[in-house]
């Protein structure tokens, strides 16, 4: 999670910045949206990760109630990343962190399969 927060990750937005790929070419290789693979895209919009995102949103709904549905996407993303906006408690952070870890692991598995 910390790698997502600090942008020290292997998402295309970050790796493209390092290797000089133009920003518009740093697209997500997992889905067909042709969006730049940012942290926000990875957590909130990548269609390949919908199952995991739904798990995250269910966790938030169970903890925060219906109110989260009215929050901007970026605010929900900040909550998922554990930025100091709200304190959900250790059990909820563990559930969120576990799901984000599963997303990262699944992404890595798909990209490895794609590259072979």
């Amino acid at each position: 999670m910390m790698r997502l927060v600090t942008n020290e990750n292997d998402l295309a937005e970050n790796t493209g910045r390092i290797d000089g790929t133009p920003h518009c070419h740093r697209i997500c290789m997992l889905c067909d949206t042709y969006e730049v693979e940012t942290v926000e895209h990875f957590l909130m919009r990548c269609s390949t990760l919908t199952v995991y995102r739904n798990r995250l949103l269910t966790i938030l709904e169970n903890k925060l109630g219906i109110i989260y549905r009215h929050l901007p996407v970026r605010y929900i993303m900040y909550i998922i990343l554990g930025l100091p906006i709200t304190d959900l408690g250790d059990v909820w952070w563990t559930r969120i962190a576990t799901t984000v870890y599963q997303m990262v692991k699944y992404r890595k598995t798909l990209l490895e399969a794609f590259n072979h």
Side-chain angles (χ1 to χ4, degrees):
M1 291 257 286
M2 189 54 85
R3 293 184 73 195
L4 291 174
V5 173
T6 61
N7 210 21
E8 294 296 324
N9 54 62
D10 63 350
L11 299 179
E13 181 183 46
N14 188 50
T15 59
R17 180 176 48 82
I18 293 167
D19 67 19
T21 302
H23 193 266
C24 63
H25 293 168
R26 301 176 197 175
I27 62 168
C28 177
M29 300 296 289
L30 300 182
C31 67
D32 59 359
T33 62
Y34 300 102
E35 289 186 27
V36 172
E37 188 184 35
T38 61
V39 173
E40 185 173 333
H41 171 83
F42 173 73
L43 290 173
M44 305 305 297
R45 290 196 300 273
C46 181
S47 59
T48 302
L49 300 172
T50 299
V51 170
Y52 295 98
R53 181 173 34 266
N54 288 342
R55 287 183 199 164
L56 288 172
L57 296 177
T58 298
I59 292 167
L60 290 179
E61 184 172 17
N62 289 339
K63 179 62 177 174
L64 300 177
I66 192 94
I67 196 167
Y68 91 92
R69 293 183 187 183
H70 303 288
L71 298 174
V73 169
R74 185 153 296 217
Y75 193 85
I76 294 170
M77 184 183 76
Y78 291 157
I79 292 171
I80 290 168
L81 291 174
L83 298 180
I85 294 173
T86 185
D87 182 17
L88 296 179
D90 291 344
V91 172
W92 296 97
W93 284 125
T94 301
R95 292 177 185 171
I96 289 171
T98 299
T99 304
V100 172
Y101 173 75
Q102 291 169 344
M103 291 173 80
V104 170
K105 191 174 174 182
Y106 184 60
R107 176 189 177 273
K108 183 178 179 181
T109 301
L110 290 176
L111 288 177
E112 286 173 354
F114 179 75
N115 290 325
H116 285 358

